[in-house]
Amino acid sequence: MTNEIIRDWMSTDVITITADTKLPEAFEMMINEEIRRLPIVETTPTGRQLLVGIVSWGDLREARPTEALTGEADLKHSRWATLTVGDIMTPDPITVKPDDLLAQAALAMLANRASGLPVVDDDDHLVGIITESDIFSKIVVDQWA
């Protein structure tokens, strides 16, 4: 893993949202897409995605009212329904570059207790995401190849 670069193991088909996305919509998206984090982007005039933040499953879980866990609340009329991911996102998240070493991403995840990191180019445009699952895949490939 020491010579592997992130570009070779990152996911490039990243599902993103904008800061004005309502929390229930982000929550449903994570459930439906079976993902645990959503990069938050602004689209530039050239159509590129500029990374502005990230929201995780844990962030949404912490913001969600207790009643939402049991389905007892009318979530359409609760404060939960009015909040956006911009209200709870981590702005300017820790990122890595496509040509950084995979080991650097693993170390950054460990140091920051993150299970995934957005991958950006030199202009902070989102080009992918690297997750602990991607790193585990590399380890398994090395073990069983």
Side-chain angles (χ1 to χ4, degrees), residues 4 44 71 88 120:
E4 295 287 336
T44 67
I88 67 165
V120 297

Side-chain angles (χ1 to χ4, degrees), residues 14-102:
V14 183
I15 298 168
T16 62
I17 54 176
T18 58
D20 61 351
T21 302
K22 300 287 186 191
L23 295 188
E25 182 181 347
F27 181 74
E28 286 297 318
M29 189 177 297
M30 284 187 180
I31 290 171
N32 293 338
E33 299 295 333
E34 298 179 349
I35 56 177
R36 297 184 301 177
R37 67 204 56 76
L38 286 164
I40 301 164
V41 297
E42 291 177 1
T43 303
T44 67
T46 60
R48 306 231 20 228
Q49 293 186 327
L50 180 66
L51 181 70
V52 296
I54 195 162
V55 66
S56 70
W57 178 257
D59 296 332
L60 290 173
R61 187 179 59 234
E62 287 179 24
R64 191 171 48 178
T66 305
E67 295 83 12
L69 295 171
T70 62
E72 295 173 10
D74 182 1
L75 294 179
K76 291 180 185 170
H77 298 94
S78 73
R79 185 169 184 273
W80 160 262
T82 64
L83 291 174
T84 66
V85 294
D87 296 321
I88 67 165
M89 73 179 185
T90 299
D92 302 316
I94 297 163
T95 61
V96 290
K97 305 281 188 204
D99 293 324
D100 288 348
L101 294 175
L102 194 59

Side-chain angles (χ1 to χ4, degrees), residues 1-6 100-110 135:
M1 187 164 84
T2 57
N3 294 324
E4 295 287 336
I5 59 172
I6 291 169
D100 288 348
L101 294 175
L102 194 59
Q104 288 175 275
L107 288 171
M109 285 184 211
L110 285 170
I135 293 171

Side-chain angles (χ1 to χ4, degrees), residues 119-139:
V119 182
V120 297
D121 65 14
D122 290 334
D123 297 320
D124 287 330
H125 294 118
L126 185 70
V127 295
I129 194 161
I130 187 81
T131 67
E132 60 192 9
S133 295
D134 299 321
I135 293 171
F136 291 153
S137 294
K138 168 60 181 147
I139 293 168

